[in-house]
């Protein structure tokens, strides 16, 4: 079974999401202390960051997957093995 590695982008997105969720919890703490205006601004900023990061990552991932499938389809269509595709030998 082939296991996919986590890419640098996937690791970065996970960290951004984790930090953003932690910051979102801090906004509730600020609201509890009576600093509602700061809590509202922080919450809006954090939610915007989460949504922006996830949407950007989804678009990037979709494009990469689409390109991989296109390359695999073209290889299959032309009957070219992967090793043959990377050599400069003339057939």
């Amino acid at each position: 079974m082939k296991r996919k590695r986590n890419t640098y982008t996937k690791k970065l997105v996970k960290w951004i999401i984790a930090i953003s969720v932690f910051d979102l919890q801090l906004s509730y703490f600020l609201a509890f202390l009576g600093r509602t205006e700061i809590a509202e601004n922080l919450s809006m900023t954090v939610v915007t960051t989460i949504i922006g990061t996830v949407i950007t990552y989804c678009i990037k991932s979709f494009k990469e997957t689409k390109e991989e499938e296109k390359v695999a389809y073209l290889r299959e269509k032309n009957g070219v093995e992967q090793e043959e595709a990377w050599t400069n030998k003339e057939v």
Side-chain angles (χ1 to χ4, degrees):
M1 175 160 51
K2 186 177 178 182
R3 182 176 172 201
K4 284 191 120 180
R5 295 182 323 151
N6 282 343
T7 60
Y8 174 75
T9 311
K10 189 178 284 187
K11 291 177 186 177
L12 182 64
V13 167
K14 285 180 182 178
W15 273 104
I16 290 172
I17 298 291
I19 291 169
S20 297
V21 168
F22 178 74
D23 287 346
L24 192 59
Q25 300 304 316
L26 290 178
S27 67
Y28 288 111
F29 181 69
L30 286 171
F32 177 74
L33 293 177
R35 308 214 177 203
T36 56
E37 187 176 327
I38 297 172
E40 288 176 8
N41 290 337
L42 180 63
S43 294
M44 289 186 340
T45 305
V46 169
V47 169
T48 304
T49 302
I50 292 172
I51 292 172
T53 302
V54 170
I55 288 175
T56 304
Y57 180 74
C58 288
I59 291 170
K60 177 202 145 303
S61 180
F62 174 76
K63 286 185 176 185
E64 284 180 353
T65 304
K66 187 176 176 183
E67 187 64 30
E68 286 176 6
E69 289 176 359
K70 180 181 174 184
V71 168
Y73 172 74
L74 290 175
R75 269 196 200 126
E76 183 181 304
K77 181 180 174 185
N78 294 332
V80 176
E81 295 292 325
Q82 184 174 359
E83 294 174 3
E84 293 176 10
W86 293 103
T87 60
N88 290 329
K89 296 179 183 177
E90 293 186 23
V91 181

